[in-house]
Amino acid sequence: MPQMITLGQFIIEKQTDFPFAKGGFSRLIRDLAIAAKIVNREVNKAGLVNILGETGDTNIQGEQVKKLDVFANEQFIAALKAGGECCLIVSEENDHVIPINNSEISKDAKYVVCIDPLDGSSNIDVNVSVGTIFAIYRRIHETGFSTEDEALQSGREMVAAGYIIYGSSTMFVYSTGKGVNGFTLDPSIGEFCLSHPQMSIPETGKLYSINEGNYIHFPDGVKKYLKYCQEIDDATNRPYSSRYIGSMVADFHRNLLKGGIFIYPSTYGAENGKLRLIYECNPMAYLIEQAGGKASDGLNRILDLPVTSLHQRSPIFIGSKAMVEQAEGFMAEFSPVTPIV
Ligand code: AHM
Ligand code: MG
């Protein structure tokens, strides 16, 4: 049996690949992995414990019941604070940035982490896969208390991104700009072990993932592309199959392995779609490009979009390169207006 490589071993081996390698980045990934294991433990027993209730509920011991997404948020923030390598956090769960380089341990912290601690959390109550998404940036300022401008960096400045999928098995998938590697949690030893080295997305695929319940509100370019997906054409393997979980991480992960496209477009009344640029679209765009795929807002590369506010949204078309380009062709022809950013 080949020797198993743990995430910790892999990070140390790859440290020299990282342009600013001094060990701090490795510790940061380790901190995220520690929080991921704790969240994984709670996700696994979610049906057994009072973690599904609304925030504000009281359990039988008279303690406050926390929703799992709040719990996940607390775990990631606590791990990043304790690790000392992160100066600033942006989280889907918090309106404002969370500067954390105000302690002795983190006064020299060099990294900004933008995170969606529990994406797809509406699926948790029904035992369907959920995930964590993160993007990592170098801080802009050399010294001082971290400020919001450090979180508003272009996606092009990202130095690493990743996700954790809490599914039938739990995986930690990340990239530092030299390909994408996936690690599966071995519960018997409590370690993420390299299971998917150098992941790459097929050039094209047979799967399209979109909430078709919103069809009536889609731009014409999306409607025409969906018709294209559903037409019969043996040469291009159509009709494609529709697969939509409603957990971006799970939909993305499946399409990454099998080939496919995930779309969350603008809709009538929500011109910028639903998903957030900083901690959902940008990290996934970084990962898909590293895996040989493509991510666009329908007209423009996601990683090139101007970042103007913490929780700004963007439409997203992400997945196999040929499929995203095909969809972009329909958008350019039938919905050629750049979404507002
Ligand atoms: P969340 O961050 O509040 O969980 O919302 C993001 C999720 C994505 O995981 C998923 O792709 C999308 O919302 C599903 O939205 P919809 O139910 O509109 O299809
Ligand atoms: Mg989310």
Side-chain angles (χ1 to χ4, degrees), residues 92 116 118-120 133 275-276 279-280:
E92 178 174 338
D116 182 353
L118 205 70
D119 186 63
I133 308 170
L275 300 177
R276 273 39 181 263
Y279 43 80
E280 292 177 327

Side-chain angles (χ1 to χ4, degrees), residues 138-261:
R138 295 271 300 175
R139 74 167 302 194
I140 297 171
H141 308 305
E142 292 280 305
T143 53
F145 203 41
S146 233
T147 44
E148 181 172 310
D149 59 318
E150 307 204 81
L152 300 179
Q153 298 187 51
S154 158
R156 290 193 298 257
E157 304 301 323
M158 210 179 306
V159 294
Y163 61 82
I164 299 112
I165 178 167
Y166 311 97
S168 46
S169 60
T170 293
M171 283 188 71
F172 190 107
V173 177
Y174 84 109
S175 173
T176 56
K178 296 200 183 284
V180 181
N181 289 287
F183 301 78
T184 302
L185 183 64
D186 181 341
S188 66
I189 57 170
E191 294 278 7
F192 286 106
C193 299
L194 182 62
S195 53
H196 295 62
Q198 287 298 324
M199 299 168 84
S200 69
I201 184 166
E203 169 76 15
T204 190
K206 258 188 76 68
L207 303 176
Y208 70 97
S209 315
I210 186 168
N211 185 345
E212 282 188 87
N214 294 329
Y215 183 88
I216 196 75
H217 301 302
F218 289 158
D220 285 347
V222 174
K223 288 180 175 165
K224 301 272 188 199
Y225 177 67
L226 292 180
K227 275 279 159 282
Y228 169 87
C229 292
Q230 293 158 2
E231 281 163 10
I232 298 172
D233 178 34
D234 290 343
T236 52
N237 258 320
R238 286 177 291 146
Y240 299 152
S241 291
S242 167
R243 293 282 184 279
Y244 190 71
I245 296 170
S247 266
M248 187 199 202
V249 173
D251 280 310
F252 177 98
H253 184 72
R254 182 203 52 241
N255 292 356
L256 172 59
L257 296 178
K258 304 263 184 205
I261 184 170

Side-chain angles (χ1 to χ4, degrees), residues 44-59:
N44 276 332
K45 60 184 186 187
L48 298 173
V49 292
N50 268 345
I51 201 107
L52 302 178
E54 296 295 314
T55 307
D57 285 0
T58 306
N59 69 16

Side-chain angles (χ1 to χ4, degrees), residues 3 18 37 42 64 70 92 146 167 248-249 301 305 317:
Q3 202 205 336
F18 197 64
K37 286 181 204 173
E42 294 305 301
Q64 254 227 331
V70 175
E92 178 174 338
S146 233
M248 187 199 202
V249 173
R301 182 181 179 230
L305 295 178
F317 298 64

